Amino acid sequence: MQDLISVIIPVYNSEEYMEDCLKSVIHQTYQNLEVLIVNDGSNERCTMIINELSSLSNKIKVYHLDDSRGVGFARNFGITKAKGEFIYFLDSDDYLPEKTLEMLYNNIKENNLIRGKIKNTTFAKSKAVILEGLLQPKYFTNNKYSLVKNKSALNMLIRKDFILDEKIRFAETVDVYSDIKFIVNAFEKCGTIPYLKEAIYFKRKRNDPISNPSLIQLDEHHKITDFLSIYNDLKDTCGGYEENNYLDKQFLNFYRKNIVKYFKIDSNIDEFYNELKKTFIKINKESINNHNFILRREANALINGTIKKYKKMNARHQFLREVKNGIRSKKKLYVFLYRNIFVKTKMKKNLVFFESFLGKSYSDNPKYIYEYMLHNNLDYKYVWSVREKKAIPGNPIQVKRFSLRYFYYLAKSKYWVSNSRLPKYLDKREGNIYLQTWHGTPLKTLVFDIKDIYSADPNYKKNFYIQSRRWDYLNSPNQYSSDIFKSAFKYDKKMLEFGYPRNDILYQRNNVDEIRKIKDKLGIPIDKKAILYAPTWRDDEFFSRGNYKFTLKLELDKMQQNLDSEYIILLRTHYHIANQLDVSDHTGFVYDFSLYDDIAELYLISDILITDYSSVFFDYAHLKRPILFYTYDIKKYRDQLRGFYFNMEEQVPGPLLLTTDEVIDAISNIKKIGNKYKDKYETFYNKFCVWDNGNAAENTVKTVFVENQK
């Protein structure tokens, strides 16, 4: 008869992760278990979902605590309710492969506990391969603490009698590091600890540390307070050399990586100085001597010196860290100069810094704001961020993105205008005004509305939050977008609700003469109708951060065979797409304008738009021309990668097409398509397009620039 394993899961407002967690337990190959959910005073919604999920299995038992007492109390409470011979702790936002508990149980033998491997993940599901066959765990007698570098008691199978007999408990006085007390007490009593790397535990790194942080994602002040508390408590009670050595190493690493960084702001030192001084006195001198000269000097200053001396030493340490980081590359050196020299020079009150799509183009909302200012002879000087020199009217200063001049002019400019995010290390200076124009009406969920992050940047939400706190103004094209921007960006400053400046051209130049001028400039036939194909990028297909792959699924051979006599195709991929598509076999029929700066001009000369989930169709709808949606991967894109803000099948002003044949048929019957979607188009236009009237750039400039001159 197999022993009973009690899996203890404390829960606090983690309802969105719990189903994955619970299913991973009840589907274990080891089935003699009970699952104890300890609801640590969660909100009403989380409590409701806990009760709903408890019906998944009769193995699940739920205990509701009236108030939140912390994860340490919840785990200790779970131990008192456990009936199993073994205890296993699982966090409610994590999950297990199906054989984890079986592997741990089969290999614990006569030992009091066994440890498996923890793997970090940002996803709800994993493709990890769990090894099978003959397992040979490693056994640790000395250096046991090498198993818990992450300070976690997770993925340990432990005998309950051992926990009770040795009175091993989690700390209940701290929120973040309650595990350390459990680990130190347990390891102190264990002679041998086996480690089984094939027994995997997936530790989810939450992708939204702003609105739904895990304990380890709490603010540094909270973490420092808790770490000092738990360290000092344990140092006063632990007698063993190995345990004290482990605590000292953990603290000194925490000091280097967390506390020193937190002390970049001088005033933060005042609050922690006295407690930190007491703490350093308790550290074994041998542990301090194993570290570098700078840490040894700071430790000595804390033990024997004054706060004035320590602050002086800390300031020098911070500067040396920046210098060391600055000499690692040319770009890091420029950032160092920006932060320490350029931002201390006098700011120019009439200097405006523009950037569009990360410097890739002279286009979009920044272009039309700039040209309005230029044509109206406003008293400003202008800088454009580019990746290569461009033909920009008005002869502005052009700086190569991330060059020394780029950082210099960013620091000197009072105004920043950008349609995408500026790097998070570019701190604003006092008096700096940042206009974020953004670059589309959202169909795809944005930032804090995205559940799982599949892009190349797993810290996307955290980084976006830091970057967007600098925005002083944000352009919005319609009420729908304003509502989404407030929630998805957590934006609460001035919203400019005038429509998009980039759409002014669709009202000001939508006539035969202007359209012909653009066609002549681009060198395309004037006797054929133009189809603009403008697909977006896929989050899970990338070369690196910000550089995405794209595979053309539209069969150009078929398109050319059926449409060549009447149409040409203008191809325009998203600015994030890094690979250039080869259309050389279709010369005279397909024209690749992916590198052409201004898509608004391509809208004007196109008779039909084909797109997928790109926001281009919101802008193109201002022209009231036919739109076709080539959505061959809609289920994956909608249900897995991003999700949509509304139902495409019901609301978009055109058909959703899944094959090239369907696209060709729709083009061949475009008048019927127009008649079929006439009413839906009108409804769509009235919802998304009514703010624009050709004056968005003028209204933006008057609000941002003229008002701030006063």
Side-chain angles (χ1 to χ4, degrees), residues 426-441:
L426 293 175
D427 299 326
K428 280 174 62 182
R429 58 193 301 187
E430 186 176 354
N432 184 198
I433 295 171
Y434 185 174
L435 166 60
Q436 172 56 247
T437 72
W438 204 239
H439 51 265
T441 295

Side-chain angles (χ1 to χ4, degrees), residues 533 535-536 543 548-554 556 571-574 577-586 590-595:
Y533 180 40
T536 192
F543 297 106
Y548 288 81
K549 305 175 185 178
F550 183 75
T551 303
L552 191 64
K553 300 292 186 180
L554 199 61
L556 297 180
L571 176 63
R572 180 59 148 70
T573 57
H574 192 279
I577 294 173
N579 58 311
Q580 188 170 356
L581 303 179
D582 184 5
V583 294
S584 58
D585 290 342
H586 306 282
V590 179
Y591 296 79
D592 188 356
F593 288 110
S594 295
L595 299 180

Side-chain angles (χ1 to χ4, degrees), residues 309-367:
K309 181 179 179 181
Y310 178 75
K311 280 188 172 183
K312 184 177 180 180
M313 201 165 292
N314 176 71
R316 189 180 302 151
H317 187 174
Q318 301 293 349
F319 182 75
L320 289 174
R321 281 169 71 107
E322 286 204 44
V323 171
K324 183 179 179 182
N325 186 59
I327 61 177
R328 289 178 177 175
S329 69
K330 186 187 293 185
K331 181 179 171 182
K332 290 182 182 296
L333 174 61
Y334 295 164
V335 173
F336 173 81
L337 294 173
Y338 172 87
R339 287 176 166 174
N340 292 277
I341 297 177
F342 297 161
V343 295
K344 297 177 182 178
T345 63
K346 187 176 180 180
M347 187 168 61
K348 294 185 177 181
K349 294 185 178 180
N350 70 334
L351 190 61
V352 189
F353 190 99
F354 289 92
E355 184 174 279
S356 181
F357 294 123
L358 311 178
K360 293 181 180 180
S361 63
Y362 169 65
S363 66
D364 206 71
N365 293 316
K367 170 185 174 179

Side-chain angles (χ1 to χ4, degrees), residues 171-405:
E172 297 182 6
T173 57
V174 296
D175 295 319
V176 189
Y177 299 107
S178 63
D179 291 38
I180 296 179
K181 180 178 180 180
F182 188 94
I183 291 166
V184 169
N185 291 341
F187 279 34
E188 186 177 16
K189 305 297 182 180
C190 281
T192 301
I193 299 175
Y195 168 71
L196 190 66
K197 69 177 182 178
E198 290 84 4
I200 304 296
Y201 179 110
F202 285 110
K203 180 70 179 170
R204 189 198 305 260
K205 182 180 180 182
R206 295 193 192 178
N207 62 46
D208 187 357
I210 306 303
S211 52
N212 189 16
S214 62
L215 287 176
I216 203 63
Q217 291 172 328
L218 292 175
D219 64 87
E220 287 300 316
H221 182 278
H222 197 146
K223 290 196 288 186
I224 291 171
T225 301
D226 279 6
F227 200 99
L228 289 174
S229 173
I230 194 68
Y231 173 84
N232 284 307
D233 285 349
L234 288 170
K235 285 290 286 188
D236 290 339
T237 57
C238 283
Y241 171 80
E242 197 174 357
E243 289 70 36
N244 274 281
N245 188 49
Y246 167 75
L247 288 169
D248 289 348
K249 285 183 177 179
Q250 290 297 317
F251 173 75
L252 290 173
N253 284 334
F254 185 83
Y255 173 79
R256 289 188 308 109
K257 295 177 181 178
N258 296 73
I259 296 177
V260 172
K261 188 181 293 186
Y262 185 70
F263 282 177
K264 285 184 73 173
I265 301 173
D266 190 67
S267 59
N268 290 338
I269 296 175
D270 297 323
E271 183 175 358
F272 285 105
Y273 177 77
N274 290 330
E275 187 70 16
L276 198 58
K277 186 181 182 76
K278 294 177 186 176
T279 302
F280 264 89
I281 291 172
K282 296 178 182 179
I283 301 174
N284 188 308
K285 288 184 179 180
E286 181 184 339
S287 297
I288 294 175
N289 291 335
N290 288 333
H291 284 270
N292 61 34
F293 172 71
I294 294 175
L295 189 146
R296 295 200 303 270
R297 285 190 62 189
E298 289 182 4
N300 187 59
L302 280 163
I303 294 169
N304 303 310
T306 64
I307 189 171
K308 183 177 180 180
K309 181 179 179 181
Y310 178 75
K311 280 188 172 183
K312 184 177 180 180
M313 201 165 292
N314 176 71
R316 189 180 302 151
H317 187 174
Q318 301 293 349
F319 182 75
L320 289 174
R321 281 169 71 107
E322 286 204 44
V323 171
K324 183 179 179 182
N325 186 59
I327 61 177
R328 289 178 177 175
S329 69
K330 186 187 293 185
K331 181 179 171 182
K332 290 182 182 296
L333 174 61
Y334 295 164
V335 173
F336 173 81
L337 294 173
Y338 172 87
R339 287 176 166 174
N340 292 277
I341 297 177
F342 297 161
V343 295
K344 297 177 182 178
T345 63
K346 187 176 180 180
M347 187 168 61
K348 294 185 177 181
K349 294 185 178 180
N350 70 334
L351 190 61
V352 189
F353 190 99
F354 289 92
E355 184 174 279
S356 181
F357 294 123
L358 311 178
K360 293 181 180 180
S361 63
Y362 169 65
S363 66
D364 206 71
N365 293 316
K367 170 185 174 179
Y368 289 97
I369 292 169
Y370 166 72
E371 291 192 352
Y372 175 84
M373 298 176 74
L374 186 67
H375 294 155
N376 286 275
N377 299 312
L378 299 185
D379 186 22
Y380 292 92
K381 294 184 179 180
Y382 308 104
V383 180
W384 267 91
S385 163
V386 295
R387 298 200 174 187
E388 56 185 25
K389 194 170 180 64
K390 294 184 176 294
I392 301 177
N395 195 31
I397 298 169
Q398 295 191 39
V399 296
K400 187 174 182 181
R401 194 167 192 258
F402 296 150
S403 67
L404 183 62
R405 295 174 74 233

Side-chain angles (χ1 to χ4, degrees), residues 538 612-613 630-638 658:
R538 272 65 178 163
D612 43 26
Y613 324 109
Y630 185 39
T631 54
Y632 54 88
D633 58 349
I634 186 170
K635 288 186 177 180
K636 178 183 178 183
Y637 200 98
R638 176 191 60 207
L658 303 179

